[in-house]
Amino acid sequence: MNGRPFQLTSVSREFGPVDVLRNITLDIEHGEFVALVGPSGCGKTTLLNILSGDDSPSSGVIQHAGRMRMVYQQDGLFPWQTVAENIALGLRHLTDPRERRRQVDLMIRLIQVEGFEDHYPHQLSGGMRQRVELARALAGDSDILLLDEPFSSLDYLTRLRMRQELARLLDDRPRTVVLVTHDIEEAAQLADRVIVLTDRPAQIRRELNITTPRPRDLTHPEVVHAVRVILTILGIEHEAAAVNGAR
Amino acid sequence: MTNESFPARSSPSSPAGHRSVLLPLAVAALLVGVWTLVWASGLFHESAFPSPLAVLRALGEELRSSRLPNDLVVSLFRVSCGFALAVLLGLPAGLWLGHVLNARLALLPIVNFFRNLSPLAWMPFAILWFGVGDAATIFLIFLAAFFPVVLATMAAVASIPAVYYRVARAYGLSGLERLTRVTLPAIMPQVITTLRVTAGLAWLIVVAAEMVSGRDGLGFAVMDSRNGLRTDLLVVEMLVIGLIGVAMDRVLVRLTRIPSVQWGYAR
């Protein structure tokens, strides 16, 4: 791979008089899992849209290398296509229909929705829909996975299961991942690096590396520690010791 | 797996399926009973209120003379032509208006004006331009159906969630493929609903138009029966007009059972 997946230099974004992002400088390494967390409305999604190319910075430079796929909060699947057809959308580069079919079957087994190939999204539970979205994004030859609060519309237990699922899928199909979330546990449990953003205009407040390999338990000491540090940075927990312990 | 929900399907063999046939039949029988009673009571003069038996006799007479089947075919032909023309031109126009904001700003007031102008008001011009016959009636049906199709398609396109187009771009769907694999399937449920409403409207218009401008067709048959004071024939024609309207909707409602449009009705 030549070049980093993402290189942002002094990226700012204004919407009219509103400063949303200010002076973000950020390098994301190949194969890295980066989580962006911050107060709601701080500009996380704007940053993700700039990464995905759906938006451009007002000033600053962004360079990226590699093919991107995005997973949305909900309803990113085409409701008029079956599970298999939606996943096949991620395999459009395969010209041989048999090979495409084989890859679709592989993904369906991988996300464990066998028997639901011909169901439509509205016939599935929320958790299954997000698994299919992940499968569509991970099928094929993309290098980068952008996740925009992918599990926020799911119930708590399903969300916990989906984190394990994502870790397992990435183990099978490694990607550079950028996850935008307001779920601090999610960031701490999944990411190699958590970037904490300030209130709007968003700036990088703190970066936090988490070295324990995935899959990590929610109650793993490093995860618990990371959660406490992030909460303290955001001013929700007040414990001096936690901040001192941060790297 | 957990809490999957599937849309309920009612099969003809289910108890509700039987009831959905028997109950309407019972209501129809009841109505015929009331009709007979009113006729027998002598409340209305014989010439203004035909008996069910007289209507049945008139039906037999019409079928033997094949006048009714001819009128029916003529009316259906006109509705089909006008309706098909309206959909063929209205759908692309609606797609264009839905996608292009400036076109929408420029043309929406005009489209709304014509949408709210009764097509029957066009009748004098239709006859002046096209003469009495098929073309004038088809023109009126076209006017009745075209503007609703344009407006509904436009609204459906404008309300397609942006996320679908972002997904389309990420997965390399563009141009014609984006139209056939994203835009059209996304608006299809609303378009089908519009087709049903508009077909009903077109059927109302054809009868009215033929009453004024026709030499044949069901509307003309109604006028003809009125002029001949044949109330028994009049009822036959009313029954046919109503039943054909129901049948047309029955055919179009089948479109909503296509698997790839179910999502639009299953909320």
Side-chain angles (χ1 to χ4, degrees), chain A:
Chain A
M1 189 91 242
N2 43 353
R4 290 197 177 95
F6 290 109
Q7 240 177 321
L8 279 70
T9 315
S10 309
V11 163
S12 299
R13 179 71 170 105
E14 294 123 38
F15 292 99
V18 185
D19 261 356
V20 179
L21 300 176
R22 184 177 291 167
N23 204 21
I24 305 261
T25 296
L26 174 65
D27 288 349
I28 295 177
E29 303 295 334
H30 187 63
E32 199 180 15
F33 192 136
V34 173
L36 302 169
V37 301
S40 71
C42 79
K44 296 187 293 279
T45 298
T46 303
L47 182 51
L48 195 70
N49 286 342
I50 285 175
L51 292 176
S52 71
D54 286 310
D55 195 6
S56 327
S58 310
S59 66
V61 180
I62 168 168
Q63 289 173 292
H64 61 81
R67 223 186 280 247
M68 282 180 266
R69 290 283 160 79
M70 181 108 148
V71 170
Y72 299 90
Q73 231 171 80
Q74 54 180 344
D75 296 332
L77 293 174
F78 287 156
W80 51 87
Q81 292 191 333
T82 62
V83 166
E85 287 166 351
N86 265 293
I87 293 175
L89 198 61
L91 295 161
R92 280 163 47 78
H93 60 288
L94 299 177
T95 43
D96 178 16
R98 268 171 318 177
E99 174 59 14
R100 202 185 302 163
R101 184 71 230 176
R102 208 182 61 77
Q103 290 286 334
V104 169
D105 287 344
L106 199 71
M107 285 319 290
I108 280 172
R109 274 202 301 282
L110 192 61
I111 59 166
Q112 296 163 341
V113 294
E114 295 101 325
F116 290 89
E117 294 90 334
D118 297 327
H119 282 67
Y120 286 86
H122 73 271
Q123 297 171 314
L124 307 177
S125 66
M128 282 177 91
R129 277 206 292 272
Q130 285 311 81
R131 291 219 292 282
V132 176
E133 271 236 46
L134 280 176
R136 183 174 73 178
L138 287 171
D141 57 353
S142 64
D143 313 291
I144 301 162
L145 192 59
L146 301 178
L147 305 170
D148 185 10
E149 311 213 3
F151 309 139
S152 63
S153 64
L154 305 176
D155 66 88
Y156 186 69
L157 285 178
T158 311
R159 226 181 298 163
L160 295 189
R161 278 196 212 99
M162 287 302 295
R163 288 181 206 161
Q164 294 172 341
E165 184 86 8
L166 177 60
R168 194 172 64 80
L169 289 172
L170 286 174
D171 197 41
D172 192 83
R173 289 163 183 252
R175 296 285 190 276
T176 304
V177 182
V178 181
L179 165 73
V180 157
T181 184
H182 58 245
D183 187 334
I184 288 150
E185 287 179 0
E186 187 173 281
Q189 206 182 345
L190 286 169
D192 303 316
R193 184 152 58 116
V194 179
I195 292 169
V196 185
L197 298 171
T198 63
D199 258 322
R200 207 174 57 217
Q203 292 171 281
I204 294 179
R205 177 114 169 224
R206 192 69 161 268
E207 292 191 16
L208 195 69
N209 289 305
I210 303 170
T211 50
T212 310
R214 278 181 301 272
R216 303 168 191 144
D217 282 334
L218 185 53
T219 51
H220 186 284
E222 198 182 5
V223 174
V224 173
H225 176 74
V227 168
R228 199 188 306 147
V229 171
I230 297 165
L231 288 175
T232 310
I233 293 170
L234 293 173
I236 293 160
E237 283 205 0
H238 303 277
E239 214 177 308
V243 181
N244 293 338
R247 265 164 290 180

Side-chain angles (χ1 to χ4, degrees), chain B residues 32-149:
Chain B
V32 173
V34 172
W35 174 9
T36 313
L37 278 178
V38 174
W39 170 75
S41 74
L43 186 65
F44 298 103
H45 191 269
E46 184 89 25
S47 64
F49 203 93
S51 71
L53 208 64
V55 169
L56 212 59
R57 270 201 306 271
L59 176 66
E61 180 190 321
E62 283 291 288
L63 290 178
R64 270 195 305 280
S65 75
S66 79
R67 211 180 68 159
L68 184 66
N70 279 346
D71 283 332
L72 178 59
V73 168
V74 164
S75 294
L76 280 176
F77 169 74
R78 288 167 181 165
V79 163
S80 309
C81 287
F83 187 63
L85 212 58
V87 174
L88 245 49
L89 296 176
L91 210 60
L95 285 171
W96 181 62
L97 287 178
H99 277 306
V100 184
L101 179 64
N102 278 336
R104 200 150 70 229
L105 290 174
L107 294 172
L108 191 56
I110 295 293
V111 175
N112 259 320
F113 172 80
F114 284 114
R115 161 82 181 87
N116 289 294
L117 175 63
S118 166
L120 296 175
W122 282 96
M123 185 109 58
F125 278 117
I127 295 173
L128 282 172
W129 294 341
F130 301 106
V132 173
D134 284 343
T137 317
I138 290 171
F139 175 66
L140 291 182
I141 292 160
F142 169 77
L143 287 176
F146 176 73
F147 295 105
V149 169

Side-chain angles (χ1 to χ4, degrees), chain B residues 205-249:
Chain B
I205 293 299
V206 74
V207 173
E210 285 167 348
M211 283 173 76
V212 180
S213 78
R215 289 168 309 201
D216 48 11
L218 288 171
F220 174 78
V222 167
M223 258 347 240
D224 202 40
S225 303
R226 188 208 82 132
N227 291 338
L229 287 178
R230 287 291 304 274
T231 54
D232 51 346
L233 274 181
L234 213 45
V235 174
V236 169
E237 285 142 10
M238 286 166 71
L239 285 173
V240 170
I241 290 167
L243 286 173
I244 294 298
V246 171
M248 277 184 1
D249 193 55

Side-chain angles (χ1 to χ4, degrees), chain B residues 151-162:
Chain B
L151 284 171
T153 308
M154 184 203 79
V157 169
S159 69
I160 297 174

